[in-house]
Amino acid sequence: MAGMRTARRILAGGAVLAAAGWALRDLPAELGVRPLASGPERAARMRHSPQFRNGTFVNSMPEGAALMTAPPVGLLGELAKDRSQRHPAGPIPLRLPPADPPPADGVRAVWYGHASTLVEIEGRRVLFDPVWSRRPSPSQLVGPKRHHPVPVELQELPEVDAIAISHDHYDHLDRSTVLRLTRTQKAPFLVPLGIGAHLERWGVPAFRIIELDWNEETAVAGLRFVATAARHFSGRSFTRNDTLWGSWVVVGATRRVFYAGDSGYFEGYRGIGSAHGPFDLTLMPIGAYSPAWPDIHMDPEQAVQAHLDLGGGVLLPVHWATFTLALHPWGEPVDRLWREAKARDVRIAVPRPGEAVDVSAVPAVEGWWELLT
């Protein structure tokens, strides 16, 4: 009998190890590659970039806490405190995205959660930072889990004209999503300099990859895309800043959209607004902020200021609600945003995941999240 119990334990342990091994089989690919070693042409472009110094990309604006190397004092205590407040108190309401064609001369956006957003501009569709995985992590065994399902499966997305990525962190560049979009869509991937090495490693054809440095631009499907600055960092492992990060300007015949990606606030937004604005719509990150890292994630009040610097018309908040990535309460970002927007007479739209926002007819803010805090 004892021998049988031992055998069962061995078999059970072997099954657990096998399952873990299967789950971690893709870990090397998830980590991506070192772009400098991915080919001489890309390496030459990187070394020529004004943002590249001493082997890594750097922010043009001064850095401080962005390069924090040790956890702040008291972090473990903060993690253990008020944990329930960092999650919604109930199911987040979802909406089914519209199936009708995009407005031929307008701007409409569908927020899927976190930063993943489909922007329809003058009849074209641009998908920003799509992440459909359950966890933004190199392994689906660990990391923060979604607070809500995706409103629509990837195979049910309409045909898009471009897929734009802001940087290579897991909550913005998801390998599983990229693999599926490579199969189900024909659109090119627009990425900051160096990220093309990751995409090539994952099987994206070279002709579908457009890599840009800050202030470089390209035309896709009748739209002009400009890679613009952000105050952030990059890295999918312990190596930092070997790919560039950035924001995106999308320009049509008469309409303009700005997507900030991840960024701390910086004075450069005024220059972007002067050079490329004003914008009908800005997509601004409002969550995952902390006094410990003010240089890499702006807070809601700074998002409003950046929107004004850019000459924005309607502000759509992103980078909140879907994953817990900081210590602040779950609904705090949008509460603070709403207060600041009212104080400064800024038009905002706060859709439920999957809900469409037409810039020409922005609905009044309903405060739907307040029932979940």
Side-chain angles (χ1 to χ4, degrees):
M1 185 67 69
M4 291 182 65
R5 285 198 296 268
T6 300
R8 284 197 293 268
R9 291 194 195 100
I10 293 173
L11 289 173
V16 169
L17 290 174
W22 178 259
L24 296 174
R25 70 193 185 283
D26 293 329
L27 185 59
E30 290 280 358
L31 298 177
V33 297
R34 299 298 301 275
L36 278 178
S38 65
E41 182 178 348
R42 179 177 291 109
R45 287 193 64 201
M46 292 171 62
R47 293 191 175 98
H48 184 69
S49 169
Q51 282 63 248
F52 195 78
R53 292 200 296 269
N54 300 320
T56 62
F57 288 101
V58 298
N59 286 300
S60 57
M61 61 292 293
E63 294 178 344
L67 295 182
M68 181 180 64
T69 57
V73 175
L75 176 62
L76 292 179
E78 291 295 323
L79 286 172
K81 185 174 64 175
D82 300 328
R83 294 179 60 184
S84 62
Q85 295 185 19
R86 297 196 290 272
H87 299 78
I92 295 174
L94 306 181
R95 292 293 182 266
L96 189 65
D100 59 318
D105 58 357
V107 175
R108 185 171 68 178
V110 178
W111 177 61
Y112 297 116
H114 196 57
S116 303
T117 310
L118 180 71
V119 170
E120 299 172 329
I121 173 172
E122 296 181 351
R124 304 298 186 182
R125 292 185 172 108
V126 182
L127 183 60
F128 288 102
D129 284 355
V131 174
W132 256 248
S133 287
R134 186 166 177 254
R135 302 175 190 265
S137 169
S139 169
Q140 292 301 296
L141 295 176
V142 296
K145 293 185 293 186
R146 282 183 171 273
H147 296 315
H148 64 83
V150 289
V152 63
E153 295 300 328
L154 274 177
Q155 64 270 18
E156 298 170 355
L157 284 181
E159 183 176 355
V160 302
D161 296 284
I163 302 163
I165 305 297
S166 63
H167 62 294
D168 72 357
H169 287 157
Y170 290 96
D171 60 321
H172 294 259
L173 178 64
D174 178 42
R175 175 177 171 268
S176 174
T177 302
V178 167
L179 292 176
R180 285 183 282 168
L181 288 173
T182 302
R183 295 192 302 267
T184 60
Q185 297 280 347
K186 299 178 182 178
F189 291 83
L190 284 74
V191 298
L193 195 54
I195 293 179
H198 296 328
L199 301 188
E200 289 177 356
R201 168 72 171 82
W202 300 338
V204 180
F207 70 86
R208 289 182 61 181
I209 302 171
I210 301 173
E211 285 182 77
L212 299 179
D213 199 351
W214 290 354
N215 302 316
E216 292 182 342
E217 62 181 69
T218 190
V220 175
L223 299 173
R224 183 164 64 94
F225 290 81
V226 186
T228 43
R231 188 178 193 177
H232 201 54
F233 70 107
S234 68
R236 296 178 71 83
S237 63
F238 295 111
T239 301
R240 280 192 172 188
N241 299 346
D242 55 359
T243 64
L244 187 59
W245 49 94
S247 55
W248 288 102
V249 167
V250 185
V251 181
T254 61
R255 301 290 191 166
R256 294 168 183 255
V257 172
F258 178 78
Y259 173 59
D262 272 2
S263 181
Y265 177 79
F266 68 108
E267 296 293 332
Y269 286 121
R270 296 178 182 176
I272 295 172
S274 177
H276 304 290
F279 296 98
D280 299 276
L281 176 70
T282 70
L283 309 175
M284 304 303 299
I286 66 165
Y289 48 81
S290 170
W293 53 78
D295 295 344
I296 59 174
H297 284 168
M298 68 183 84
D299 62 32
E301 292 79 13
Q302 291 170 327
V304 170
Q305 182 60 58
H307 170 83
L308 292 171
D309 292 347
L310 291 159
V314 176
L315 187 160
L316 194 157
V318 299
H319 209 265
W320 80 284
T322 305
F323 303 111
T324 295
L325 302 176
L327 298 179
H328 58 68
W330 175 80
E332 181 184 279
V334 73
D335 282 335
R336 289 174 57 173
L337 175 74
W338 199 9
R339 286 196 300 269
E340 186 73 4
K342 287 186 286 189
R344 305 190 69 176
D345 196 25
V346 168
R347 284 199 302 159
I348 65 171
V350 187
R352 300 158 181 81
E355 188 173 1
V357 173
D358 190 322
V359 170
S360 65
V362 178
V365 177
E366 294 182 19
W368 58 266
W369 66 89
E370 293 178 320
L371 298 175
L372 304 174
T373 57

